[in-house]
Every structure is written in structure tokens, then in C-alpha cells.
């Protein structure tokens, strides 16, 4: 089932999420619904707060980027209870980011190019790994959602001031996108 994507201004997008256990209700169905929602919205990552749930769950599908990043031609992963435990701040890169919860807003964001992440897969098997490159950027973007942050929190105050009217329009429901959304209700 395609779920509505929560738009900037929704309180759940600013909440720190909770870890889940294997007995989380209908977890398999939720994951399937998140995959379907991500595919329909033509995104590459989706975090549970973006579908209204304050839990530590994210899905990342880099297969659409295979032309530019052949190493991701088969990359599709569920991340349960992910936590970034270390960032290699010595190496950073700036790249433009967008977000399904911030339609039509794109800004350059500086992030570390290498991070250490602890997470569990769908079988709740624990993983602890260093991740580099584009996947590290996507993970940081998605896992920020799990800590109540969004990519616009990483831009300069000047840039944020310049997009203030666009952000206000989002909170007022004045936007257009080609996927199902849940705007802020006044």
C-alpha cells in the first residue's frame, strides 16, 4: 500500500525516534509499504518519520542511480535501528540534496564522506561497518530523519533565509508533487 509522505512542518519529522524490536506490529507489511511508497515517489531513501512513524527504520534503494554509480546496480537495503557511531570529519564533500518531505527544495550540503554505522537487517542481525561515498551521504540524510533533523538543518543561515518563503509555502500546503502526501493541517 502506498503511504502518504509527511511534508515539512509535520511534528513527527522533528521527533527523535525509538528503536524497535522484532515483535513490532506488522513490521513486514510496513517495510513492504515503505518500498512501494519509495518506488512510487521515485526517491532513493525513505525514513519511517516520513510516513508518520517515530521509529528507527529506513529503506534505501540506490538501483535508480546505477548508470552513474554502477556499484549500486543491485543495492536495496532495509535499516532497522541504525545509529551513526562515528564520522570521519577529516574528509567531507558538498553535494546537492533534496527530500521527499521538502518537495522542490534542493540545496548543497557538506557531509563527511565516510561514516561508521551500527544497524540491524530485516532478520535483526546486527551490523557494524564503515561506509563511504554516495551511500554514506544517503545514510546520513536518511538517518538524520530518525534524529529529528532534515538536510536544511545543515545549510548556512543565509541559504535558509533565502528558502524561507518556500518552507512557509510547504507548511501552508502550497506545493505540487507527483506522489501522495500528508501536508500540515491548520
Amino acid at each position: 500500500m502506498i503511504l502518504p509522505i509527511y511534508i515539512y512542518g509535520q511534528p513527527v519529522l522533528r521527533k527523535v525516534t525509538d528503536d524497535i524490536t522484532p515483535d513490532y506490529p506488522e513490521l513486514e507489511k510496513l517495510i513492504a509499504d515503505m518500498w512501494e511508497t519509495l518506488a512510487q515517489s521515485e526517491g532513493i531513501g525513505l525514513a519511517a518519520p516520513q510516513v508518520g512513524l517515530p521509529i528507527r527504520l529506513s529503506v534505501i534503494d540506490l538501483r535508480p542511480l546505477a548508470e552513474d554509480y554502477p556499484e549500486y546496480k543491485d543495492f536495496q537495503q532495509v535499516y532497522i535501528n541504525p545509529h551513526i557511531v562515528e564520522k570521519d570529519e577529516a574528509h567531507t564533500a558538498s553535494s546537492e540534496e533534496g527530500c521527499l518531505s521538502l518537495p522542490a527544495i534542493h540545496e548543497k550540503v557538506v557531509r563527511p564522506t565516510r561514516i561508521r554505522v551500527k544497524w540491524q537487517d530485516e532478520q535483526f542481525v546486527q551490523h557494524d561497518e564503515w561506509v563511504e561515498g554516495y551511500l554514506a551521504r544517503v545514510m546520513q540524510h536518511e538517518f538524520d530523519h530518525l534524529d529529528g533533523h532534515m538536510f536544511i538543518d545543515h545549510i548556512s543561515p543565509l541559504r535558509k533565509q533565502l528558502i524561507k518563503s518556500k518552507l512557509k509555502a510547504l507548511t501552508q500546503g502550497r506545493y505540487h508533487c507527483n506522489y501522495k502526501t500528508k501536508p500540515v493541517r491548520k
Side-chain angles (χ1 to χ4, degrees):
M1 173 173 71
I2 295 172
L3 304 169
I5 294 176
Y6 282 51
I7 298 299
Y8 176 81
Q10 286 280 3
V12 71
L13 294 173
R14 292 303 191 174
K15 287 185 178 174
V16 176
T17 59
D18 296 318
D19 282 357
I20 60 173
T21 59
D23 62 351
Y24 186 83
E26 299 188 47
L27 181 59
E28 251 182 67
K29 181 180 181 339
L30 173 59
I31 291 169
D33 290 348
M34 286 179 69
W35 282 127
E36 189 176 351
T37 301
L38 183 62
Q40 190 274 335
S41 64
E42 298 181 1
I44 58 172
L46 185 65
Q50 293 180 277
V51 293
L53 298 170
I55 60 172
R56 292 195 83 82
L57 172 65
S58 182
V59 296
I60 295 176
D61 183 356
L62 297 184
R63 296 174 305 167
L65 305 177
E67 192 171 307
D68 293 326
Y69 299 95
E71 64 272 28
Y72 298 131
K73 71 179 177 70
D74 297 318
F75 191 91
Q76 189 178 34
Q77 183 64 56
V78 173
Y79 295 91
I80 297 173
N81 303 326
H83 292 272
I84 297 173
V85 294
E86 196 173 343
K87 294 180 179 181
D88 180 356
E89 301 283 353
H91 300 94
T92 61
S94 176
S95 187
E96 190 171 276
E97 293 186 21
C99 181
L100 296 172
S101 293
L102 292 155
I105 295 178
H106 296 86
E107 292 291 328
K108 286 202 175 269
V109 177
V110 176
R111 294 192 188 267
T113 57
R114 186 170 177 260
I115 58 172
R116 182 174 160 224
V117 183
K118 287 187 178 183
W119 57 282
Q120 294 168 309
D121 59 28
E122 289 175 88
Q123 288 71 46
F124 282 80
V125 172
Q126 186 71 40
H127 298 263
D128 183 339
E129 64 183 332
W130 280 95
V131 180
E132 297 184 29
Y134 196 76
L135 177 58
R137 172 171 296 278
V138 175
M139 288 174 126
Q140 288 172 85
H141 177 109
E142 294 308 322
F143 301 166
D144 267 359
H145 282 297
L146 306 178
D147 291 322
H149 302 297
M150 301 180 88
F151 81 88
I152 57 171
D153 300 335
H154 299 287
I155 63 176
S156 72
L158 175 60
R159 287 300 312 157
K160 196 148 186 187
Q161 188 63 35
L162 291 171
I163 64 167
K164 190 175 181 179
S165 63
K166 290 181 181 180
L167 295 173
K168 184 177 181 182
L170 292 177
T171 65
Q172 296 174 341
R174 293 185 291 119
Y175 62 89
H176 173 75
C177 53
N178 296 323
Y179 47 87
K180 188 175 172 181
T181 63
K182 184 160 178 75
V184 178
R185 298 275 186 244
K186 298 282 180 189

